[in-house]
Amino acid sequence: MFLRLALWCALAMACGAAAAQSPPISPNGVRTLSPPGAIKVEGTWSLGARAGDLIFVAGMQGVDPATNKLVPDPEGRIRQAFLNIRLIAQSEGATLQDCVRLTIYVSDLAKVAPLVDKVQAELWGKGPYPPRTMFEAKRLFDDDIIEIDSVFYARRKQ
Amino acid sequence: MFLRLALWCALAMACGAAAAQSPPISPNGVRTLSPPGAIKVEGTWSLGARAGDLIFVAGMQGVDPATNKLVPDPEGRIRQAFLNIRLIAQSEGATLQDCVRLTIYVSDLAKVAPLVDKVQAELWGKGPYPPRTMFEAKRLFDDDIIEIDSVFYARRKQ
Amino acid sequence: MFLRLALWCALAMACGAAAAQSPPISPNGVRTLSPPGAIKVEGTWSLGARAGDLIFVAGMQGVDPATNKLVPDPEGRIRQAFLNIRLIAQSEGATLQDCVRLTIYVSDLAKVAPLVDKVQAELWGKGPYPPRTMFEAKRLFDDDIIEIDSVFYARRKQ
């Protein structure tokens, strides 16, 4: 009897711990994403969300997760933004090749677009590359040079 | 024979009426949304569309549906934009927690972003919050301070 | 026997040709789109991608596929951008009525928005029209007047 109670307590505690750690689920089954190793979120947004077979990733800047600061040099910062996106996508089973949409906001097309092409060629290899839109915004958070919005596709596990 | 014709006529009229009232459906089953109580649309766009399990909402400004005018004070206008979005989402069975993506266009990040955070905290409660991108556009319709683009997820009824 | 071999060879060649021509598929089944007649892509992006029942189209400018140059007059250029989008959507079985989202980046709302309305009314007929967001970007590629981002819905063939 005591053993049974002890087992039940252990089970309840385990379930409680699991519930506390598992990601929040919306009424319709949207799962909020916060994979280990990702940048910290401050404010009223989340890194990403899975809904059905789609993974929506928040606008990403080139913040280094180790320091929570923007990477200083432009090319490194652009690479970091893509790496931050990739970490979130991979946590849901999506590769960069499973990206279905990139919207890239930049401070200066002439300066930043060539670096974006260079970094994408490095990360995606010989392609194919995802559909993309890139344009100059008037201003980004932190007067940054780039922010990248993305959507990925990866079948959810049944 | 006469009865048959009469029945056919009644059926045809009923179908015609149903077609006129029911929302338009595209060749592939996209349903255009125009729920009661929503703002009026002028021009070549619609408030929203459902396709499969996704609900796409048009860029929303802080227009009061009662007056069809922008709410005067900034915080109230931002709240109204979110309420306009929520009305469309809820008409398809989606809550704010089922939002999978917010793209927020603002006139001035320094002035508007803190108000967005405040209003979202109020409307979403303790979260989780959807993935978000926010940046300054050069100009919005009506020289407005905010416009919000959104996507929601809610399984369609079988 | 000889006939059989000849048939097998013809079949193998046909399959080989089909495989060479068929679009690349990602690990999760995203299909990159490059339909005949579309504009040429230069750089690290693709015209579009199909994932499940959704078709994501890259930001489109009013480039004439015949010359690979921007159409000179503004209204013609805007129409061409929509025609470029329609070609990609139709290659996957989607009509303009199956569009679920338009994001329209313009150089000048006062000048360009009325032309967008006019061209959409012409192409979509009496509607319904898709949900839309339109705003001024600080700058587009080629200092262009318009770029259009779009998503369509069309059930994939089983």
Side-chain angles (χ1 to χ4, degrees):
Chain A
M1 178 68 186
F2 174 78
L3 182 67
R4 216 182 213 174
L5 185 68
L7 276 172
W8 187 88
C9 285
L11 185 67
M13 284 163 70
C15 289
Q21 285 171 6
S22 70
I25 307 270
S26 81
N28 277 292
V30 174
R31 197 150 45 82
T32 301
L33 308 178
S34 55
I39 61 164
K40 289 197 188 84
V41 169
E42 285 167 19
T44 55
W45 58 284
S46 294
L47 293 171
R50 174 186 272 273
D53 296 332
L54 293 172
I55 300 137
F56 295 86
V57 179
M60 279 289 134
Q61 296 174 265
V63 173
D64 183 345
T67 62
N68 230 32
K69 286 181 181 162
L70 287 169
V71 171
D73 81 289
E75 188 182 319
R77 191 183 297 181
I78 293 166
R79 186 178 295 107
Q80 187 64 58
F82 279 113
L83 294 177
N84 291 345
I85 289 169
R86 189 174 70 175
L87 185 142
I88 298 166
Q90 285 184 340
S91 77
E92 287 296 313
T95 69
L96 287 179
Q97 277 70 32
D98 298 309
C99 183
V100 292
R101 177 158 173 183
L102 287 176
T103 313
I104 305 188
Y105 314 92
V106 301
S107 58
D108 187 320
L109 274 175
K111 285 186 189 165
V112 180
L115 296 174
V116 171
D117 277 351
K118 188 183 169 195
V119 170
Q120 279 200 260
E122 178 197 313
L123 293 175
W124 264 265
K126 62 181 167 61
Y129 302 97
R132 187 179 78 180
T133 300
M134 180 158 38
F135 65 93
E136 282 185 18
K138 198 179 94 194
R139 187 188 300 270
L140 300 171
F141 271 118
D142 310 310
D143 283 310
D144 205 351
I145 59 167
I146 193 165
E147 184 159 338
I148 308 172
D149 213 357
S150 56
V151 183
F152 289 77
Y153 180 82
R155 303 240 172 105
R156 76 198 124 169
K157 292 177 189 91
Q158 299 298 336
Chain B
M1 177 67 186
F2 175 78
L3 183 65
R4 217 182 212 172
L5 185 67
L7 276 171
W8 188 88
C9 284
L11 186 67
M13 285 163 70
C15 287
Q21 286 171 5
S22 69
I25 308 270
S26 81
N28 277 291
V30 175
R31 197 150 43 82
T32 301
L33 308 178
S34 53
I39 61 164
K40 289 197 188 84
V41 170
E42 286 167 19
T44 55
W45 59 285
S46 293
L47 293 171
R50 173 187 274 272
D53 296 331
L54 293 172
I55 299 138
F56 295 86
V57 179
M60 279 289 133
Q61 297 175 265
V63 173
D64 183 345
T67 61
N68 229 33
K69 285 181 181 163
L70 287 169
V71 171
D73 81 289
E75 189 182 320
R77 192 183 297 182
I78 293 166
R79 187 177 295 109
Q80 186 64 57
F82 279 112
L83 295 178
N84 291 345
I85 288 169
R86 189 174 71 176
L87 184 141
I88 297 166
Q90 286 184 340
S91 77
E92 287 295 313
T95 69
L96 286 179
Q97 277 70 32
D98 297 309
C99 183
V100 291
R101 177 157 173 185
L102 287 176
T103 313
I104 305 188
Y105 313 92
V106 302
S107 58
D108 187 320
L109 275 173
K111 285 185 189 167
V112 179
L115 296 175
V116 170
D117 276 352
K118 189 184 169 196
V119 170
Q120 279 199 260
E122 178 198 314
L123 292 175
W124 263 265
K126 63 182 167 60
Y129 302 97
R132 186 179 78 178
T133 300
M134 180 157 38
F135 64 94
E136 283 184 19
K138 198 179 95 194
R139 189 188 299 271
L140 300 172
F141 271 118
D142 310 310
D143 283 311
D144 205 352
I145 60 168
I146 193 165
E147 183 159 339
I148 309 172
D149 212 356
S150 56
V151 183
F152 290 78
Y153 179 83
R155 302 241 173 105
R156 76 197 125 169
K157 292 175 189 95
Q158 299 297 336
Chain C
M1 178 66 187
F2 175 78
L3 182 66
R4 216 181 212 173
L5 186 68
L7 275 170
W8 187 88
C9 285
L11 185 67
M13 284 164 70
C15 287
Q21 284 170 5
S22 71
I25 307 272
S26 81
N28 278 291
V30 175
R31 196 150 44 81
T32 300
L33 307 179
S34 54
I39 61 164
K40 288 196 187 83
V41 169
E42 286 167 18
T44 55
W45 59 285
S46 294
L47 292 171
R50 173 187 274 273
D53 297 330
L54 292 173
I55 300 138
F56 295 85
V57 179
M60 279 289 133
Q61 296 175 264
V63 173
D64 183 345
T67 62
N68 229 32
K69 285 181 181 163
L70 287 170
V71 171
D73 81 289
E75 189 182 321
R77 192 184 295 182
I78 293 166
R79 185 177 296 109
Q80 187 64 56
F82 279 112
L83 294 178
N84 291 344
I85 289 169
R86 189 175 68 176
L87 185 142
I88 298 166
Q90 285 184 341
S91 78
E92 286 296 313
T95 69
L96 287 179
Q97 277 70 32
D98 298 310
C99 183
V100 292
R101 178 158 173 183
L102 288 176
T103 313
I104 305 188
Y105 314 91
V106 301
S107 58
D108 187 321
L109 274 175
K111 286 186 190 166
V112 179
L115 295 175
V116 170
D117 277 351
K118 189 184 168 195
V119 170
Q120 279 200 260
E122 179 197 312
L123 292 175
W124 264 265
K126 63 181 168 60
Y129 302 97
R132 187 179 77 179
T133 300
M134 180 157 38
F135 65 93
E136 282 184 18
K138 198 180 94 193
R139 188 187 300 271
L140 300 172
F141 271 119
D142 310 309
D143 283 311
D144 204 351
I145 59 168
I146 193 164
E147 183 160 338
I148 308 173
D149 213 356
S150 56
V151 183
F152 290 77
Y153 180 83
R155 302 240 173 105
R156 75 197 124 169
K157 293 177 188 93
Q158 297 298 334

